[in-house]
Amino acid sequence: MDFNLFPSLQKNGKEKENMASSLITALSNALNNKGEIKEVTTTAEPEIENATYHRENGLYQVIDFSSKGVWLQDTRSGKTFEENNLPKDFLNSLTNDSILRYQNGAYSLEEEITEDFLNSLVDIGTLKKIQETFQKESGILQLDTTTKFQVEQRKEETTIVSFANGAKTLEVPNALVPYFTEVGDIVTYQNGTFKREP
């Protein structure tokens, strides 16, 4: 499908109409040939068995639904995969951001963790205020952007991180730290929030 449209842009109305018609035809052809596109994608990146993603007692976040099941993200590794082997009743009880536990070959819904996770989310306006306050009070912008921090303690509202070989610490609002961060994890400060290193 050729989307190289800009060289052909001209001020003539008829040419614009032809270009729009060509674009619609190209998109239509692409949609009609979606089987071919899937085959190319599958060939480029082989599908991995879901069993390789399952961790006993592991937690997984529902990030989307598919025609066959759900897309899950491992809360530790961040890897995503499509899970197609869920009972229909169980699948119908799930929503985006539900937290599931994999144990003894099956998933169960972690209602308390899901509720706590959802309660930890803040709107973008509140997040911006938290970021601004943290930057002013902590002096984090004075540190090198490659500084690595180790999570020392998780509290109800804040997380304590250390840096400079443990000599210095910062108290960070939990809104700026990934929810599933654990003591001992290494994080870096990027674009106003902390990111957990794999």
Side-chain angles (χ1 to χ4, degrees), residues 98-139:
S98 291
I99 308 300
L100 310 181
R101 183 176 303 278
Y102 183 80
Q103 202 165 30
N104 299 322
Y107 290 98
S108 61
L109 176 61
E110 287 287 337
E111 292 180 18
E112 287 182 29
I113 297 173
T114 299
E115 184 178 347
D116 190 53
F117 173 71
L118 293 173
N119 288 336
S120 75
L121 301 175
V122 296
D123 64 80
I124 195 70
T126 302
L127 180 62
K128 290 279 186 208
K129 289 177 186 172
I130 292 170
Q131 288 171 329
E132 290 170 4
T133 302
F134 175 70
Q135 288 172 353
K136 287 177 190 172
E137 293 176 358
S138 69

Side-chain angles (χ1 to χ4, degrees), residues 20-126:
S21 178
S22 296
L23 177 60
I24 290 169
T25 301
L27 288 172
S28 178
N29 289 340
L31 290 172
N32 289 336
N33 297 325
K34 67 182 179 183
E36 293 174 23
I37 293 170
K38 181 168 177 50
E39 185 175 305
V40 171
T41 303
T42 304
T43 304
E45 187 176 322
E47 193 171 309
I48 299 172
E49 289 292 321
N50 288 352
T52 62
Y53 291 114
H54 296 149
R55 283 185 301 114
E56 187 62 22
N57 209 29
L59 293 176
Y60 299 88
Q61 178 183 351
V62 174
I63 58 171
D64 205 356
F65 287 82
S66 72
S67 60
K68 300 175 186 176
V70 292
W71 282 93
L72 298 178
Q73 182 172 39
D74 187 320
T75 61
R76 288 305 302 154
S77 70
K79 293 185 183 203
T80 61
F81 63 97
E82 186 176 20
E83 180 57 72
N84 304 325
N85 197 18
L86 296 174
K88 188 169 181 138
D89 290 345
F90 181 67
L91 183 62
N92 290 338
S93 72
L94 302 178
T95 62
N96 275 345
D97 295 323
S98 291
I99 308 300
L100 310 181
R101 183 176 303 278
Y102 183 80
Q103 202 165 30
N104 299 322
Y107 290 98
S108 61
L109 176 61
E110 287 287 337
E111 292 180 18
E112 287 182 29
I113 297 173
T114 299
E115 184 178 347
D116 190 53
F117 173 71
L118 293 173
N119 288 336
S120 75
L121 301 175
V122 296
D123 64 80
I124 195 70
T126 302

